[in-house]
Each structure stands twice: as structure tokens, then as C-alpha cells.
Amino acid sequence: MHNARSDHSGLTILYGSQTGNAQDVAERIGREGKRRHFVPRIMAMDAFPVSQLPEEHNVILVSSTTGQGEVPSNMKAFWKFLLRKALPADSLKGVTVAVFGLGDSGYQSYNTVAKKLDRRLTALGASVVCERGLGDDQHPNGYEAALDPWLRHLWSQLRAKYPLQLGLSEPAPEDTSTELDPKYQISYLATHEVAERPIYETEQEEAVAAAFAFSQLEASLSGVRASPSNAEAISRQGMTASTSGTTVATENAQYGLWRPFMASLTCNTRITSAEHFQDTRHLEFDLTGSGIHYAPGDLLTIFPCQSPAAVSAFLQRMNLDPGAWVRIEPAETPLGNAVSSIQVRVAALVQGILDISGASPRRYFFEVLQHFATAELEVDRLEYFATPEGRNDLYTYNQKEGRTVLEVLQDFKSAQPPLEWLLQTVPHLKPRQFSIASSLAKHPNTAHVLMAVVDYKTPFKRRKQGLCSAWLASLTPLHRPCYSSDNATHLVNATQSHASADAMASGAASDSSAHGAAVPRSSSRNDSTTMDEHTANGDKQARVVPVWVESGVLRLPASHSTPMILIGPGTGVAPFRSFLEERQMAAAGGTSVAPSYLLFGCRGEKADFYYSQLWQQLLAEGILAPTAGLLTAFSRDQKQKVYVQDKLRQHSKLMWDLLQQGAVVYVSGSAEKMPQAVATAFEEIAAQQHREPGFGRKVVQRLEQTKRYHVEAWS
């Protein structure tokens, strides 16, 4: 590294983003910086030539934390370079940096990446212009609760360092509004201008293809090279359906957003009683012909389908022609990549790219909406939302009520933003990840999912339901129901191919979730639509679902002789069904298997004791330890509530003995309180063995460092 800088107005903003939130923050910082006469340059960390970092003067870095403290995928090369031992301690002397992290305090590794990045930059000689900020998804206002004051301090510190030139003015530090800075340019195409018209079997497949094409354009804008092989795959091979009876996939087929496998839904059974408030589903997907393999702990990623009624209402509200073709290209020249424009049909753009009926829009959407509103009362209200005094009211109206883009547009009827501004400010539709609840060894060519349908009332008593979960719940399975009721309290798998039937109790999902239901990853109170809209056309809905498999953070121990402590309240138990079925099959094949210990929590034994008959079978077979191998916490079955962490304390000697024997701990479920409560319980168990202050925390940290303590949690 070498140092040669002179331009103090430059502002290099780098982000490491897994789901897009860190990129959103980076772009907001860039917009605000532009209003303050800085010259921002925004890109993904891996797109930036990191060896040139000493040539920058002001660098702002925004990063999320993924998994158990891992860096985002578009930051790995950047981070690997910074960790080189050969870098001199003064490599970044003279470089001014500021770091903001996005994390979830429900995880043990809360904002780990941002903390490490901040420490490493200063260790290389960088000076800190603003103490690092840490956004927390657990805060009622999300990461913006920390971002707003952090930005006020950042702008104040930068202005103190670089006084404003004479004759210029700028907003006050607390003014976080931004100018309209277009990111995309959209052109409507005549029929002869459409380069090619791929043929898709369904509108859903066209929507997924549009989502992938747009993701490639986004990659170009961020400076990350798009994958041409993936782009070619979707145009060359299209999408494969498992319902056709023939296959074109090969053993080594690679699937993702660029080419999802269209899996048949063969089982969709509600496993909670009809009178209970929570609807929890057992889903099975046929992967025959895909060549897809998965390991216990992997995730089934599903690209959701938005309600046709919502899409139609949005198109009508915005006066958009669903059959029109448009070209989308960057408003400015992309950073040297081949993907410079895409062509999509408007209907596919709305269905596959814009999240119009799930997530709540961000603050910038309201700022843009204000510029295109004409009714005086609407303009006044939008202007108020943009003020510091109006932000709490905006939060109450928007995030707290789970308002969707479509609902906001229906409230502000005079606003008519052009399509390019909708593309820039409307949240983009994201795939959802679910822990696979089955072992491929026990269920060949099949993946099972345990899913709680998101369904809740807002503070103003408005019913909201999950976009993805409501859609999946509405689909009619290809085959007959795979479960039948047993005395109205247990549901037995009628198509089980092995010695015994899996069974699930009817009832609600985990009470550790905000709404009494463990929700799928990437969904939240804002993942909202009306299931009635889906259900109304349930029989007409496609029975195929776009899926692919991604690696999860949970992995079985290398040896089946290693004991496991599995803690999974509610739908958090899903990956442990996969773990235990895998060991069950290994034992059936003659492999020596150490007994496991499952701690399951739910509301009541007769309410939501998922897979109860399977656990009893595994106890009888010795897969779960015959003594204390199944510890249940039925929180509502007695006057005093009992949770999984209470069961850990009640069996503290057993837990400590297991840890001494090399047991691996796995925790899965809602990130709100449970993971931290479980970690605290283990700290207390360890502290009972030694009086040294902080001994319990050191033990848990050591377990984490040696890969013997794993957490998979979601908000």
C-alpha cells in the first residue's frame, strides 16, 4: 500500500451487504453527502481495489454480519486482503474512516463484522472521524434508530474537519432528507425494439427470470462482476418442472435465482387444531429429477409469488400496462461490467422485482412520494413525515402498522411517481429461507419444511399476513393429503416410508416469536399480505414452487459418536428433525451413534408439540437418550411459565457432564430473546463449577471458538 491523496471532498462509501440493507444505508449516506457538497462514490467492498485504499481520504464502511459472525459475500476478498499479516501498521496512516454495522442483538455474534472491521482499520493506522455505529434489528425502529444519530455526528465531525467553502450552504446535521438522485433510466419499447421474447410456461417463471436479470444489473451498478454462466443458464435451459415426468437436470446441476428448480408441492397440511390461533404447516417438495442434494442443516430457499389481486391493483393504481416491455439501464455508466441494460415485461417487473405487498417501504420512499404528490393535504403530511418531529409518526404509520407499498399508494392517491422511481424506492422482492426439516437419506428426492403462517393484528387492529407463508399455505398439493388426524390432537404421516410414522401435535408455534409464531427467515411483521386473496384462487394456484438449496450455519458433528444438545423451541426444531433423522438412518445402517438430547419448547403439550410421535420413536431407538433425551417446556400448561432455558438450569449437572464429554450445542429459533437466554443459562451452569468471575462467559466463548456452540436464529 502507498499513500498519495489530496482531494478532501471525495467520500468513498463501501458496503458489505448480504440482503441489501447495508447497500441501502450506503446509498442513503451518499445522497446525504451529496447535499453537503461531498463527492460520493459508492460500491461493494469487493468491487473496490483494496490495495488503493491508502489513496482515499475519507472512507465510510457499512457492513452487515451474516451467519455466526461471517462477512457478507461481497466483502470477503476485501476483508481477506486487510487481514494480511504483511501489511505495515501504518498502511492507512492519514486515511479517515467511519464504520456503521447492521446486526441483530438476538445473535451472540451481534455486529461482529463491523467491530472487527473497525479494529482492523485502526490497527493499520487509519484515524476514526466518528465512533462506529451499530444498528440493531431488534430495536422497534430497526437499524435507523442508531443510524440517524450516527449520521448527525458524522456530518458534524466531517464539517469540523473540512470547513464549508465561502458562499456555500448545507442542511443542518439533523436534516437527513435527500435530493432526488435517479439510479435507473426506463424506456418503453415498441414491439420491434424488443430484442427477444423468451417463452415461459407460467407468469411466475417469467417473474423469477426478471428478478434474476435485475439482480445482474444491480451487481453491475455495485461494481461486482455478474456471472455470465448463470445468465446463460436461464436463457439456454429455462426452468425445469418436476411435474412433467421427464427431467433435463443433471446430477451436478446448479440452482439459484438464475435457475430455480420448479418443485412440486406434494404435501401441505395444517398441523395445528382448527380452533387454535396459529396456523402451522408441514410442507413437502418433490425434488425428483433435479439432482439437488442437501445436508442436515441446509436451507430451502423459496422465491415467493405475490397475490395476483395485489399485482393487478398496483398496475391499475399506477396506470401501468402489464403487457408493455421496458428497457432498464443505469442512469449513469456502470462500473465496467457487461450488464448495462435489461428488457422485461412490466407485469414481470412488478411481480418479480417490486415487493408491493409484503415489506414496508423505507423513509426515502416517502421523500420521493412527496415530490410527485399534488393534493395539498397529502403533500403536507409527507413533508411532515420528513421532519425530525414527524419521524415517530411515520414509524407508527408505516413500520408499526406493517404498511405495504400498495397500501401507502392507496392512502396518497395523488402521488404518481414514474416507474424508474418505483424501481429505485420500492423494496425489492427477496427469496425466503427455511430450515430443511428432513433427512435426504430418509426421504429421497424430497425436502420437508415446517412453516408457521405469519398472521397478526397491528396496533390499529388491522390484520396482516405473511406474503410468502400465506401464498404457500394457499397452494393445493399435487398429491392427496399426506397427514391424517388422530383423535384431533395428533397428526400422523400416512405416507411415511420407514418403520414408524412421524407425528405432530396440533397447536401454535413457538411463543418466543413476536406474534406467537416462529416465522421464516427474511420475513417479519412487514412480510404481509392477505391470505384470503391467495386462498380465493387456491385451486388455480400453480402447484410448483421455485426453490434451490443453500448452506445453513448448522452442521452435524464430523462423527456420529459426538453427543448433541439440540435446543429448538417452536419451528426452531425443524433442522433438528433433519439431524436426528440422519442419525436414525446411520444407526439403521450399523453406524455407532451417540445419544442426543433435545430440548423443545412450545405453548402446550396438546397445543403445539410438533413431531411428538417421532421423538418418542427416537427415544425408543436410543437416538435420543432414553433418560432425559427429550426435555419439554410447555410454557402455558401451568401457572408459572416454563421455557427451554429453565429446563437447562433444571438439568444443569447433566448439561455440564455432556459438555465435558465433548457435546456440541445447537440453538435454533426466534432471535428475539431465546438465544441470549439460552446462552445465559449455559453461562450460569458453567459458573456453578468455578467461582472465578466471568468463568461462565469464558466457557461459552470457548465453545463458540471451538465450533461447539452454534446458533441459527431469525427475526
Side-chain angles (χ1 to χ4, degrees):
M1 290 187 178
H2 61 284
N3 196 312
R5 303 163 318 281
S6 60
D7 185 7
H8 293 185
S9 66
L11 202 61
T12 300
I13 306 168
L14 307 177
Y15 62 85
S17 184
Q18 196 69 28
T19 63
N21 287 336
Q23 181 179 352
D24 286 346
V25 172
E27 290 177 352
R28 174 181 165 184
I29 295 171
R31 293 191 301 267
E32 291 192 22
K34 199 170 184 179
R35 290 190 70 205
R36 290 166 169 80
H37 307 289
F38 290 97
V39 181
R41 181 170 57 144
I42 307 165
M43 67 180 70
M45 292 188 197
D46 278 358
F48 179 79
V50 63
S51 62
Q52 298 177 19
L53 193 59
E55 300 177 17
E56 302 299 319
H57 202 85
N58 305 303
V59 184
I60 300 174
L61 304 100
V62 184
S63 176
S64 61
T65 296
T66 68
Q68 289 188 273
E70 290 87 14
V71 299
S73 56
N74 60 2
M75 176 184 168
K76 290 182 178 179
F78 181 91
W79 181 238
K80 184 177 180 180
F81 186 94
L82 287 185
L83 291 179
R84 290 184 179 181
K85 294 182 180 180
L87 294 178
D90 62 349
S91 296
L92 299 179
K93 183 179 180 181
V95 179
T96 299
V97 300
V99 174
F100 187 85
L102 289 85
D104 189 321
S105 58
Y107 286 82
Q108 290 291 104
S109 55
Y110 170 60
N111 265 313
T112 295
V113 172
K115 295 172 184 176
K116 288 182 177 179
L117 178 61
D118 190 43
R119 289 195 295 266
R120 184 56 178 161
L121 292 170
T122 54
L124 292 173
S127 59
V128 177
V129 69
C130 178
E131 184 179 353
R132 70 171 177 248
L134 301 177
D136 186 3
D137 281 347
Q138 291 293 325
H139 192 281
N141 288 349
Y143 65 75
E144 287 186 334
L147 179 61
D148 287 345
W150 185 79
L151 282 175
R152 288 196 294 270
H153 186 55
L154 173 68
W155 301 130
S156 177
Q157 292 297 102
L158 284 175
R159 186 52 65 218
K161 189 175 180 68
Y162 308 117
L164 194 65
Q165 295 181 16
L166 290 175
L168 296 179
S169 62
E170 66 176 356
E174 63 271 11
D175 182 354
T176 58
S177 60
T178 58
E179 295 178 348
L180 293 189
D181 192 6
K183 186 176 179 181
Y184 308 104
Q185 177 179 321
I186 291 183
S187 306
Y188 283 83
L189 303 176
T191 303
H192 69 276
E193 293 179 301
V194 181
E196 59 178 312
R197 298 192 180 197
I199 298 175
Y200 301 99
E201 292 187 11
T202 66
E203 291 183 354
Q204 183 183 17
E205 292 183 12
E206 183 184 8
V208 178
F212 171 66
F214 184 72
S215 73
Q216 297 294 90
L217 183 62
E218 282 278 272
S220 292
L221 285 171
S222 69
V224 177
R225 181 167 296 278
S227 171
S229 61
N230 293 347
E232 291 167 4
I234 196 167
S235 61
R236 183 176 64 252
Q237 300 181 32
M239 302 183 188
T240 308
S242 65
T243 55
S244 64
T246 60
T247 65
V248 297
T250 64
E251 186 70 17
N252 297 317
Q254 296 295 313
Y255 296 93
L257 181 59
W258 60 90
R259 184 174 177 247
F261 180 70
M262 302 302 289
S264 295
L265 178 67
T266 58
C267 174
N268 180 1
T269 301
R270 175 172 174 147
I271 60 172
T272 50
S273 60
E275 63 271 13
H276 200 85
F277 74 92
Q278 177 62 59
D279 181 354
T280 302
R281 300 295 176 111
H282 176 85
L283 308 175
E284 297 183 8
F285 299 91
D286 182 9
L287 305 179
T288 300
S290 68
I292 289 176
H293 292 271
Y294 63 83
D298 279 347
L299 309 173
L300 189 71
T301 303
I302 296 175
F303 195 86
C305 179
Q306 300 190 83
S307 159
V311 172
S312 178
F314 182 86
L315 290 167
Q316 185 175 1
R317 164 64 180 82
M318 301 311 301
N319 298 320
L320 296 172
D321 177 4
W325 282 80
V326 295
R327 178 188 297 113
I328 307 172
E329 53 194 332
E332 298 178 0
T333 304
L335 300 170
N337 270 283
V339 182
S340 58
S341 69
I342 62 172
Q343 295 182 7
V344 297
R345 203 164 58 93
V346 169
L349 186 157
V350 175
Q351 175 68 272
I353 300 175
L354 303 181
D355 189 342
I356 61 169
S357 57
S360 295
R362 300 204 186 281
R363 187 190 305 168
Y364 188 46
F365 177 77
F366 292 90
E367 294 178 14
V368 170
L369 211 59
Q370 173 192 335
H371 288 270
F372 296 101
T374 57
E376 184 177 356
L377 289 177
E378 293 179 8
V379 172
D380 290 345
R381 192 179 185 197
L382 290 167
E383 286 180 347
Y384 170 69
F385 280 162
T387 65
E389 298 79 18
R391 284 179 195 155
N392 285 338
D393 287 337
L394 174 59
Y395 168 73
T396 298
Y397 166 79
N398 186 38
Q399 291 99 321
K400 202 168 184 180
E401 277 296 297
R403 284 285 197 304
T404 65
V405 168
L406 179 57
E407 289 173 330
V408 172
L409 289 170
Q410 289 170 337
D411 284 346
F412 294 91
K413 293 181 172 60
S414 74
Q416 196 72 22
L419 187 54
E420 50 261 48
W421 280 105
L422 293 172
L423 191 61
Q424 180 167 339
T425 58
V426 171
H428 296 151
L429 194 61
K430 304 292 185 184
R432 271 61 168 173
Q433 294 178 327
F434 298 84
S435 292
I436 296 176
S438 54
S439 163
L440 197 59
K442 187 172 182 178
H443 307 279
N445 299 313
T446 307
H448 296 182
V449 164
L450 180 64
M451 178 193 76
V453 179
V454 179
D455 190 344
Y456 68 99
K457 291 289 184 67
T458 71
F460 287 99
K461 307 303 179 184
R462 300 168 64 248
R463 187 185 183 192
K464 305 295 291 183
Q465 293 181 307
L467 185 157
C468 184
S469 59
W471 167 59
L472 290 172
S474 75
L475 299 181
T476 302
L478 183 66
H479 301 151
R480 64 182 174 83
C482 57
Y483 281 89
S484 60
S485 62
D486 178 10
N487 296 326
T489 57
H490 291 84
L491 296 163
V492 180
N493 190 338
T495 59
Q496 183 70 26
S497 60
H498 292 273
S500 76
D502 292 346
M504 293 180 259
S506 62
S510 167
D511 57 7
S512 64
S513 175
H515 306 292
V519 299
R521 291 155 194 74
S522 299
S523 73
S524 67
R525 285 177 295 226
N526 293 332
D527 175 19
S528 308
T529 186
T530 303
M531 189 166 62
D532 295 342
E533 295 176 353
H534 284 298
T535 307
N537 297 315
D539 290 338
K540 299 178 184 178
Q541 295 290 329
R543 291 170 177 168
V544 292
V545 176
V547 306
W548 60 93
V549 169
E550 297 184 16
S551 296
V553 300
L554 304 181
R555 279 288 176 264
L556 276 171
S559 171
H560 284 311
S561 62
T562 301
M564 297 189 299
I565 302 173
L566 310 172
I567 305 164
T571 54
V573 80
F576 303 146
R577 182 177 186 256
S578 175
F579 276 30
L580 293 169
E581 284 189 341
E582 188 79 3
R583 285 204 165 179
Q584 181 187 32
M585 297 305 294
T591 301
S592 177
V593 173
S596 297
Y597 296 79
L598 175 65
L599 288 89
F600 176 78
C602 62
R603 285 180 172 259
E605 183 175 8
K606 295 182 179 180
D608 51 349
F609 190 6
Y610 303 136
Y611 303 119
S612 60
Q613 290 187 12
L614 174 63
W615 311 141
Q616 294 301 322
Q617 179 193 352
L618 296 178
L619 283 168
E621 295 178 4
I623 305 303
L624 289 174
T627 302
L630 177 62
L631 300 175
T632 54
F634 303 126
S635 64
R636 303 302 199 274
D637 279 359
Q638 59 285 311
K639 188 175 182 179
Q640 183 70 32
K641 293 180 182 178
V642 177
Y643 300 104
V644 287
Q645 59 267 29
D646 300 315
K647 290 295 180 178
L648 285 171
R649 294 186 180 94
Q650 291 173 15
H651 295 81
S652 60
K653 184 179 185 306
L654 171 63
M655 295 299 130
W656 180 253
D657 290 344
L658 288 170
L659 292 178
Q660 297 305 107
Q661 295 166 23
V664 180
V665 179
Y666 298 90
V667 184
S668 173
S670 170
E672 187 175 11
K673 296 178 181 178
M674 183 273 297
Q676 185 56 55
V678 167
T680 300
F682 273 109
E683 291 176 12
E684 293 174 3
I685 290 170
Q688 294 174 7
Q689 311 301 317
H690 205 292
R691 294 183 179 276
E692 176 188 342
F695 178 75
R697 179 60 190 142
K698 291 178 182 177
V699 168
V700 173
Q701 287 177 335
R702 180 60 179 165
L703 289 172
E704 293 172 341
Q705 293 166 358
T706 56
K707 307 298 182 183
R708 289 179 54 203
Y709 194 102
H710 304 272
V711 179
E712 183 177 70
W714 57 90
S715 299

